[in-house]
């Protein structure tokens, strides 16, 4: 079976990491609340969100977790297929299409359920002509504006709040980057205006809102790649996918986005069939240990990783691997 796989936001390695324990205070967002103790609910995942000493929020284990264990699953807040795969994957869940797909206007869904679920954005989206907007994204190699468009449609339809992503940490945007985003914002707003979406419905869609959403998506979006083969072949196949740019789309999640980075992680993300994420342990994890994923291709050398993280995510990595110069 084909797998939608990623070890992190790019690729991580099967090595056993060691992390120092840190003092932290538990945040209100936690998976150990009383609600999970109700009989009608499944057992809570063995994690809690807490403050770290130096990296803001983080995800910590509440018990020992074995190597290869499923930590938890997560459905995306937002997901959008790559423009290059838009006719080969489900427009809602990004599952690879078969001959039994359910067609919409120019796109397809893998099931009637996905077609129904897509109504939270699709009925608004199809009111406008997005040819110029899609060409802008395609010509400049941009993916995040597509996620902003989808969120905007959800807000206009009433399925989401304009503040849906406020809990996520934003990346730092340079003045040059903000200027570059003006064209995308203009095309997005004009697309809705030409579709006769009222000013009242678009009141939230300001340049400041657009920039803030891009800033949050930029550091929190996960690139979903298609890796073929069995689970045991993930390491080699995922590396090949990166070289081949075999991304089926991008997605933003709530809880997975709170995982901090480490160049030698103890957790990774796996996709099987669609954009629903599975967080799994790469090694044995002790109780109260922070769970970390790798945001980049961890096979890069020290200088390349430092440069990539600084330019792409806006921080200097001080994990044990980087401090050792490896």
């Amino acid at each position: 079976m084909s797998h939608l796989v990623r070890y992190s936001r790019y690729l991580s390695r099967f090595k056993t990491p060691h992390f120092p324990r840190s003092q932290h205070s538990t945040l209100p967002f936690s998976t150990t609340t009383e609600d999970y103790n109700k009989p009608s609910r499944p057992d809570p995942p063995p994690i809690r969100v807490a403050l770290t000493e130096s990296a803001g929020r983080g995800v910590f284990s509440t018990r020992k977790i074995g190597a290869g264990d499923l930590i938890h699953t997560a459905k995306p807040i937002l997901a959008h297929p790559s423009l290059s795969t838009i006719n080969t994957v489900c427009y809602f869940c990004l599952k690879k299409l078969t001959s039994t797909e359910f067609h919409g206007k120019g796109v397809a869904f893998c099931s009637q359920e996905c077609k129904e679920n897509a109504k939270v954005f699709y009925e608004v989206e199809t009111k406008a002509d997005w040819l110029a907007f899609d060409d802008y994204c395609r010509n400049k190699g941009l993916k995040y504006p597509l996620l902003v468009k989808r969120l905007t449609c959800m807000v206009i339809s009433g399925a989401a709040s304009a503040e849906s992503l406020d809990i996520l940490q934003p990346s730092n945007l340079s003045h040059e980057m903000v200027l570059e985003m003006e064209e995308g914002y203009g095309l997005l707003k004009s697309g809705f205006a030409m579709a006769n979406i009222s000013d009242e419905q678009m009141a939230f869609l300001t340049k400041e809102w657009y920039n803030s959403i891009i800033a949050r998506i930029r550091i929190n979006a996960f690139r979903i790649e298609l890796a073929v083969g069995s689970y045991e072949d993930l390491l080699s196949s995922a590396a090949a996918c990166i070289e081949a740019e075999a991304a089926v789309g991008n997605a933003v999640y709530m809880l997975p986005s709170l995982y901090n980075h480490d160049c030698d992680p103890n957790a990774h993300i796996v996709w099987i069939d669609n954009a629903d994420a599975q967080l799994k342990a790469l090694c044995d994890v002790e109780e109260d240990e922070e769970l970390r994923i790798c945001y980049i291709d961890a096979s890069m050398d020290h200088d390349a990783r430092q440069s990539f993280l600084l330019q792409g995510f806006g921080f200097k990595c001080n994990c044990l691997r980087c401090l050792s110069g490896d």
Side-chain angles (χ1 to χ4, degrees):
M1 179 185 293
S2 294
H3 295 268
L4 291 180
V5 173
R6 205 179 64 169
Y7 292 102
S8 63
R9 285 175 170 77
Y10 288 86
L11 177 71
S12 63
R13 306 180 304 166
F14 284 101
K15 290 182 63 178
T16 303
H18 300 280
F19 302 104
R21 296 201 177 189
S22 58
Q23 298 295 319
H24 51 271
S25 58
T26 303
L27 292 174
F29 184 89
S30 174
T31 60
T32 56
T33 59
E34 293 182 359
D35 288 340
Y36 280 106
N37 294 325
K38 295 179 180 179
S40 60
R41 289 181 177 270
D43 291 337
I47 55 173
R48 68 171 178 272
V49 177
L51 293 175
T52 67
E53 291 179 336
S54 59
R57 293 172 297 200
V59 179
F60 295 81
S61 62
T62 57
R63 60 167 171 78
K64 286 188 175 182
I65 302 173
D69 285 355
L70 175 66
I71 303 170
H72 67 85
T73 60
K75 288 186 176 296
I77 307 170
L78 292 171
H80 197 287
S82 301
L83 292 176
S84 61
T85 64
I86 206 163
N87 296 316
T88 60
V89 300
C90 176
Y91 199 54
F92 180 78
C93 78
L94 311 190
K95 182 178 181 179
K96 187 175 181 180
L97 294 174
T98 68
S99 58
T100 59
E101 63 266 19
F102 295 77
H103 289 277
K105 297 180 180 179
V107 297
F109 302 92
C110 67
S111 65
Q112 185 62 36
E113 181 182 3
C114 278
K115 190 174 182 179
E116 289 295 319
N117 289 335
K119 287 182 178 180
V120 297
F121 62 83
Y122 195 60
E123 291 182 349
V124 173
E125 181 179 315
T126 52
K127 292 179 180 179
D129 181 356
W130 298 109
L131 180 60
F133 184 83
D134 288 349
D135 283 345
Y136 157 77
C137 292
R138 185 180 292 107
N139 294 336
K140 292 184 176 294
L142 302 175
K143 51 198 175 183
Y144 301 146
L146 298 169
L147 289 166
V148 180
K149 181 184 76 173
R150 181 154 292 188
L151 177 60
T152 305
C153 291
M154 293 171 67
V155 175
I156 291 174
S157 71
S161 164
E163 294 79 33
S164 297
L165 303 188
D166 282 3
I167 191 174
L168 301 181
Q169 181 73 21
S171 63
N172 295 319
L173 300 178
S174 66
H175 179 66
E176 291 75 16
M177 294 173 66
V178 172
L179 291 178
E180 289 176 357
M181 291 190 297
E182 288 188 2
E183 182 180 0
Y185 168 73
L187 289 170
L188 182 67
K189 190 161 187 178
S190 64
F192 287 116
M194 293 176 67
N196 296 318
I197 303 297
S198 69
D199 291 341
E200 182 180 359
Q201 289 177 290
M202 290 195 296
F204 70 94
L205 185 52
T206 63
K207 188 180 299 184
E208 292 73 23
W209 181 84
Y210 180 90
N211 292 347
S212 72
I213 297 299
I214 287 285
R216 285 170 169 79
I217 290 176
R218 180 171 176 260
I219 196 171
N220 291 291
F222 288 81
R223 167 177 159 152
I224 301 175
E225 292 153 356
L226 180 62
V228 298
S230 65
Y231 184 83
E232 290 75 15
D233 296 330
L234 294 183
L235 188 60
S236 58
S237 60
C241 284
I242 291 175
E243 292 184 6
E245 292 293 321
V248 299
N250 294 273
V252 178
Y253 304 82
M254 186 58 68
L255 186 52
S257 294
L258 300 180
Y259 280 68
N260 286 318
H261 164 82
D262 198 291
C263 293
D264 211 355
N266 57 358
H268 69 153
I269 299 182
V270 177
W271 285 269
I272 300 175
D273 293 333
N274 57 31
D276 291 353
Q278 296 185 10
L279 276 290
K280 292 192 173 185
L282 280 171
C283 61
D284 292 340
V285 178
E286 297 298 319
E287 181 179 352
D288 205 38
E289 184 176 346
E290 185 178 1
L291 292 157
R292 292 191 172 217
I293 60 176
C294 186
Y295 294 179
I296 60 173
D297 178 357
S299 66
M300 294 188 295
D301 63 31
H302 174 272
D303 291 344
R305 296 197 315 273
Q306 288 287 323
S307 176
F308 205 108
L309 288 167
L310 187 60
Q311 293 179 21
F313 297 92
F315 68 87
K316 176 180 173 61
C317 183
N318 292 312
C319 71
L320 293 182
R321 183 183 171 197
C322 284
L323 290 175
S324 71
D326 181 12

